[in-house]
Amino acid sequence: MPTDSDAAKAVPMPDRISREFLVHHQVCPAGVRADGTLAVAVTEHSLLEALDDLSIAYERPVAPEPTTPEDLDMRIARLAADEEPMALEQAQARDESFTSDVRDLANQPPVVRFVNLLIREAYDAGASDIHLESTRGGLTTRFRIDGVLQPALEPPASMDRAVVSRVKLLAELDIAEHRRPQDGRIRVRLHARELDLRVSTVPTAFGESVVLRLLERGSGAIGLDTLGLAPGLLAAMQGLARRPHGMILVTGPTGCGKTTTLYAALGLRSAATEKIITLEDPIEYTLAGVAQVPVHSETGVTFASMLRSILRQDPDVVLVGEMRDSETAELAVQAALTGHVVFSTLHTNDAVGALPRLLDLGVPPFLISATLEAVLAQRLVRTICAACREPYVPDRSSSAVLGDRDDGQPLFRGAGCEACRGTGFSGRTGLFELLVMTDDIREALGADPSRRRLESLASDAGLRSLMTDGCEKVKAGITTIEEVLRVTQQ
């Protein structure tokens, strides 16, 4: 069946549009018309959702043109055969475009401009993540700012699928695959800075959910003294981080800043005179003078398997991103026992909880006693916005949380302003509790490792709880009672 596209000008097929994609969706680019639109051959069996993907891939509007199934098959076969030699050139051109400054792309089509604007707004707002969520009503967008999700600029309904496809193209993902999770990366320049965007997609009931994690390239670890540690805890941690051997653990839920704290501790070591190796999944930031090894569990490169290998690299200091299983825990403990300094993390609610967790992982009590130096538990709370900070008198129930203070004494909160996007908060700081191993605690691990006994001994040793640290920061006007309760009462 002849179509208007017979007179259209042929264009190269982008390498991300495969023959399998065209066959599956029963569509085929048929050329560019004089008005600049892309003619696409379709049949009554075509999946028209693919038109958005083709529009993004070719960066131009599309116009469907009916044809017969037989003609469509011939077009697909001919296009796939003709364009095979062009794939490498197209891929190279696309790779170069990934690093283009997003501000230079402002005059591109609406979908491109929207994605660029979304990334720029997320960066300007200090967001750590961009969430694109497909719902029954369309695509919703949210930024995670200071650990809390907040509404963000949403695309017009007509762009929903196109925005997701644009992100997948930039991340070099398969835009034809909507049924399985995918992971990729985007690198952009923005405000003279380079950003790495880690992209994760998963299928949901109404489409794909996409999350972009924003990481600034070239950003090193911050100092241990900037995390919010009280003076006594800071001095203790600085001393522990410089120990010649032993194991130091940082605990807390996902996203509470454990990796940042470990990076800060590594900053106190001498990379010039020591061999420092890290095992991470993924590598968050690059550290000068440190050998950083990525872990890829899906390919069999696990923490345990890589830890065995790096211990043959003659390291002085080893950072294990997470002790997820018995083998990794036992290897880390053995490394600490043989004269290495080992930093690692565990998912426990508090510092004392790390001890029974190690026992649950099968580490013998005598090895824990011989190697573990300290456990630091932490949370992140939002700090009151300095631009709209105001005093207020809390009610009786709020005052009771703080304990020894006079009723009627004012506290502080953020009223909400443009600088903090109306939230009353800007930035975050840490809440900490530090358990330093004592002889009594070491002895109890072998004799009576009950939770109650360990908590009693930790209290006798002077452990200040997360709640106590939080209340001190509330009294100092750094954060609010509600924030402290939000992160500690979980």
Side-chain angles (χ1 to χ4, degrees):
M1 178 185 297
T3 69
D4 293 340
S5 65
D6 292 336
K9 180 181 177 181
V11 292
M13 184 171 68
D15 63 298
R16 285 294 165 187
I17 301 296
S18 64
R19 180 182 183 278
E20 289 74 17
F21 173 86
L22 301 179
V23 171
H24 174 76
H25 292 87
Q26 286 293 283
V27 295
C28 183
V32 177
R33 294 172 170 175
D35 62 0
T37 59
L38 176 72
V40 180
V42 299
T43 72
E44 60 181 349
H45 304 297
S46 297
L47 301 178
L48 298 184
E49 63 189 31
L51 296 180
D52 285 338
D53 295 332
L54 290 174
S55 178
I56 293 299
Y58 282 89
E59 298 186 348
R60 62 181 66 245
V62 299
E65 294 185 346
T67 188
T68 64
E70 295 78 15
D71 180 66
L72 181 70
D73 290 342
M74 287 176 31
R75 288 178 179 272
I76 292 174
R78 185 168 61 246
L79 183 62
D82 291 344
E83 299 302 333
E84 187 65 28
M86 296 293 294
L88 181 58
E89 294 179 15
Q90 291 293 322
Q92 291 172 338
R94 183 171 291 105
D95 287 342
E96 293 176 0
S97 71
F98 290 153
T99 57
S100 296
D101 191 319
V102 293
R103 290 175 299 173
D104 294 338
L105 302 177
N107 294 323
Q108 295 296 315
V111 175
V112 178
R113 290 200 300 270
F114 175 82
V115 173
N116 297 337
L117 178 61
L118 194 66
I119 294 172
R120 187 176 65 203
E121 286 209 347
Y123 177 80
D124 290 343
S128 61
D129 302 86
I130 302 172
H131 288 246
L132 304 175
E133 299 162 325
S134 297
T135 67
R136 186 185 298 275
L139 190 70
T140 64
T141 61
R142 295 191 289 176
F143 294 157
R144 186 175 294 279
I145 302 174
D146 296 332
V148 177
L149 286 172
Q150 300 178 21
L153 178 69
E154 295 194 355
S158 59
M159 288 188 188
D160 285 356
R161 294 185 56 83
V163 167
V164 172
S165 295
R166 174 67 183 173
V167 172
K168 291 172 70 175
L169 277 172
L170 290 173
E172 299 185 276
L173 303 181
D174 184 357
I175 64 172
E177 179 56 71
H178 305 283
R179 296 167 293 183
R180 64 178 178 85
Q182 297 186 71
D183 295 289
R185 283 181 178 270
I186 303 171
R187 182 177 300 174
V188 298
R189 286 197 305 271
L190 183 62
H191 301 320
R193 296 181 180 273
E194 283 195 354
L195 297 182
D196 269 342
L197 309 180
R198 286 210 317 267
V199 181
S200 172
T201 73
V202 296
T204 68
F206 301 106
E208 289 180 285
S209 172
V210 182
V211 176
L212 297 85
R213 168 65 56 89
L214 280 67
L215 300 171
E216 189 169 340
R217 291 176 57 81
S219 294
I222 63 176
L224 200 61
D225 57 349
T226 65
L227 303 180
L229 287 157
L233 288 185
L234 175 60
M237 276 301 297
Q238 288 172 332
L240 288 164
R242 295 188 176 102
R243 290 280 179 92
H245 53 75
M247 183 165 65
I248 299 170
L249 300 179
V250 179
T251 74
T254 299
C256 72
K258 298 188 296 295
T259 299
T260 299
T261 299
L262 289 178
Y263 279 2
L266 284 185
L268 298 177
R269 308 297 304 198
S270 174
T273 60
E274 294 180 311
K275 176 76 169 183
I276 303 175
I277 304 180
T278 72
L279 282 177
E280 304 176 62
D281 180 21
I283 296 173
E284 297 285 350
Y285 300 104
T286 56
L287 303 175
V290 176
Q292 296 176 265
V293 181
V295 170
H296 300 288
S297 300
E298 63 276 8
T299 62
V301 182
T302 64
F303 279 109
S305 64
M306 289 307 300
L307 184 53
R308 290 184 185 276
S309 297
I310 68 172
L311 289 178
R312 295 192 288 270
Q313 293 280 308
D314 187 31
D316 297 293
V317 182
V318 176
L319 186 154
V320 181
E322 183 182 346
M323 293 199 293
R324 298 176 178 174
D325 52 59
S326 299
E327 186 179 7
T328 304
E330 291 180 12
L331 286 169
V333 169
Q334 289 289 345
L337 190 65
T338 54
H340 302 87
V341 179
V342 177
F343 295 97
S344 191
T345 71
L346 280 175
H347 286 289
T348 62
N349 289 329
D350 54 21
V352 173
L355 302 179
R357 176 59 179 154
L358 288 173
L359 293 172
D360 290 342
L361 288 172
V363 181
F366 77 92
L367 285 181
I368 301 175
S369 299
T371 59
L372 186 60
E373 299 290 339
V375 182
L376 181 73
Q378 68 180 65
R379 298 291 191 277
L380 288 177
V381 292
R382 293 180 291 174
T383 54
I384 299 170
C385 174
C388 60
R389 183 173 179 263
E390 65 177 14
Y392 79 104
V393 178
D395 57 31
R396 187 177 299 273
S397 62
S398 296
S399 295
V401 174
L402 299 179
D404 56 343
R405 65 184 303 276
D406 296 331
D407 288 340
Q409 181 179 344
L411 296 178
F412 291 89
R413 64 188 175 190
C417 64
E418 184 177 350
C420 61
R421 299 169 66 94
T423 64
F425 297 98
S426 179
R428 288 189 289 179
T429 191
L431 305 184
F432 301 93
E433 64 178 32
L434 178 64
L435 170 65
V436 178
M437 296 293 286
T438 65
D439 290 340
D440 288 341
I441 295 175
R442 297 181 199 277
E443 182 179 344
L445 281 174
D448 179 19
S450 66
R451 173 79 188 209
R452 179 176 299 180
R453 176 63 174 160
L454 293 173
E455 286 180 341
S456 175
L457 292 173
S459 178
D460 293 342
L463 181 143
R464 296 171 71 255
S465 70
L466 290 166
M467 176 62 79
T468 299
D469 192 35
C471 289
E472 292 300 320
K473 287 181 168 66
V474 171
K475 295 175 184 178
I478 297 172
T479 189
T480 66
I481 297 172
E482 292 75 18
E483 268 298 287
V484 172
L485 294 176
R486 179 179 69 85
V487 302
T488 59
Q489 305 298 310
Q490 297 178 350

